[in-house]
Amino acid sequence: IHVLEERIDKDSIKSPVSGTVGEVAPINVGAFVQPGARLFSVVPGGELKAVAEFVPADALGRVKPGQTARLRLTGFPWMQYGTVAATVTRVGGEVRDGHVRVELAVVVPVGSPIPMQHGLPATCEVDVEQVTPLKLVMRTVGASLGRSAKNEAPR
């Protein structure tokens, strides 16, 4: 009995967390599966969160926890459905596959016609800075003066 229980335990598929199956690997019936192979992913229950991937130059040093963000869901035109508010909760400190991972807490609007669920594709805009129009003009003038000073020929 002990050997059979061990064999059953060895041939069982188990998830380390409870939740909903998010994606499944394309495996045919009767196919051999290597031990430890990734067969599916499980989305744990709890609060809905968004994960965004940014180009390192756009995120590193600029995106920080606590910043506000907006999600525009691809399948729900924002002009009709609006945007979904979010807050940055975590920013990855390393580059993976050419991107920096940013996690956001989603603020689900009350009475939203959008069925908020796992897997909805979206674009994400993070508010990294707020400046006055005067500051923008001064930056433009300063940049212009800097370029013209570099282009002047020495006398």
Side-chain angles (χ1 to χ4, degrees):
I1 292 175
H2 179 32
V3 172
L4 286 174
E5 285 176 345
E6 209 173 274
R7 174 79 188 237
I8 289 170
D9 189 49
K10 189 175 171 185
D11 292 339
S12 297
I13 298 172
K14 298 177 184 173
S15 171
V17 296
S18 62
T20 307
V21 175
E23 60 182 310
V24 180
I27 300 172
N28 295 325
V29 175
F32 179 78
V33 178
Q34 293 287 337
R38 186 180 185 131
L39 303 176
F40 57 91
S41 64
V42 175
V43 180
E47 288 185 29
L48 188 63
K49 71 176 178 179
V51 177
E53 292 182 342
F54 288 95
V55 176
D58 293 342
L60 292 176
R62 299 187 69 190
V63 178
K64 299 174 180 70
Q67 291 174 320
T68 58
R70 281 170 305 290
L71 302 174
R72 293 183 181 183
L73 299 168
T74 306
F76 300 90
W78 71 273
M79 291 293 284
Q80 180 180 354
Y81 292 93
T83 59
V84 177
T87 304
V88 176
T89 56
R90 197 174 351 190
V91 179
E94 60 191 41
V95 178
R96 283 199 178 164
D97 298 326
H99 292 93
V100 174
R101 178 184 170 104
V102 175
E103 293 182 7
L104 304 109
V106 177
V107 180
V108 180
V110 178
S112 172
I114 302 171
M116 298 301 289
Q117 62 188 28
H118 167 74
L120 293 175
T123 57
C124 177
E125 298 173 356
V126 178
D127 298 327
V128 294
E129 182 180 25
Q130 290 184 356
V131 295
T132 64
L134 177 61
K135 213 178 229 185
L136 285 174
V137 169
M138 295 304 288
R139 281 185 187 173
T140 304
V141 169
S144 175
L145 290 174
R147 280 193 302 271
S148 64
K150 287 180 186 177
N151 293 336
E152 285 183 12
R155 298 178 192 219

